[in-house]
Amino acid sequence: LLYTGVASSAQEAMLHFAHARGQPLRTPSQRRYVGYVAEALCRSPVPRPCPIRVPEPPVVLAAVEVHAPPPHMRLAVHVAQLLPPHKPLVARAFDVVQGRAAVGHVLCGDVMLCGSEVVRGSPLVFRASFHTMFVQAPGRLVLSRAEIDGGITGGFYDARFGPDFSLVLVFEDTSAFFRARL
């Protein structure tokens, strides 16, 4: 809708989609990606209708900070690099220790973070997706409870997590990251 000019803003595109579909986009990550398309179209010097090619700059996800998790809940954060065509490459799980999971991975393109309780057979508790093109490195991406997806679909609704729950993704400069390892 944005690309063809039917909608002139991300909000207008989501309203048009909700009206046509009969329901709005379900997850905060879906809404975040509509915003990414709007931003990419504003950045793109190429006039439409040429296809958009989104560059995928690498970033280093240094850590994930978990703010205000439920007391006595052990969490693990799983980092998945999504490779085309929709084949996730799961880097691995990182235990959250004292509110922080040290990651230290180079990521590029679409990334999904998943959180689960560290309990045998524990289901997915939350997830969030982002694209590296829209991340400042070095920098931080703060995802409030309202910007985090639920376990499978929909918004984040787990009552064990209070209104102050958030994820802070800490990004490091890629050149500094590689220089430190030489």
Side-chain angles (χ1 to χ4, degrees):
L1 296 170
L2 288 162
Y3 183 73
T4 61
V6 171
S8 60
S9 69
Q11 186 65 29
E12 186 180 336
M14 288 186 280
L15 288 172
H16 186 80
F17 178 82
H19 183 278
R21 182 178 180 200
Q23 61 181 341
L25 293 175
R26 289 185 176 191
T27 69
S29 289
Q30 289 172 331
R31 292 186 290 276
R32 185 171 21 264
Y33 272 72
V34 173
Y36 287 168
V37 171
E39 188 175 333
L41 287 170
C42 288
R43 288 183 186 181
S44 177
V46 179
R48 292 175 228 168
C50 296
I52 302 173
R53 174 71 177 121
V54 178
E56 298 182 351
V59 297
V60 176
L61 178 58
V64 177
E65 297 173 357
V66 180
H67 293 263
H72 311 296
M73 181 185 282
R74 274 190 60 211
L75 287 171
V77 176
H78 308 265
V79 178
Q81 173 72 60
L82 303 177
L83 302 173
H86 307 292
K87 294 183 181 178
L89 170 66
V90 178
R92 67 178 214 234
F94 303 91
D95 283 339
V96 177
V97 179
Q98 295 180 342
R100 184 176 174 95
V103 178
H105 273 284
V106 177
L107 301 169
C108 185
D110 291 308
V111 178
M112 181 185 292
L113 294 177
C114 301
S116 63
E117 278 188 79
V118 181
V119 176
R120 185 176 205 129
S122 175
L124 188 65
V125 178
F126 61 81
R127 68 180 184 173
S129 298
F130 65 93
H131 195 285
T132 59
M133 177 179 169
F134 301 92
V135 170
Q136 295 292 329
R140 301 162 75 83
L141 173 62
V142 179
L143 299 173
S144 69
R145 180 185 165 122
E147 298 168 310
I148 299 170
D149 304 341
I152 304 300
T153 60
F156 186 69
Y157 52 83
D158 193 321
R160 297 175 296 173
F161 292 79
D164 295 333
F165 174 70
S166 65
L167 298 173
V168 178
L169 287 58
V170 180
F171 296 97
E172 194 176 307
D173 181 56
T174 48
S175 57
F177 177 79
F178 288 117
R179 273 195 308 274
R181 279 150 184 78
L182 291 177

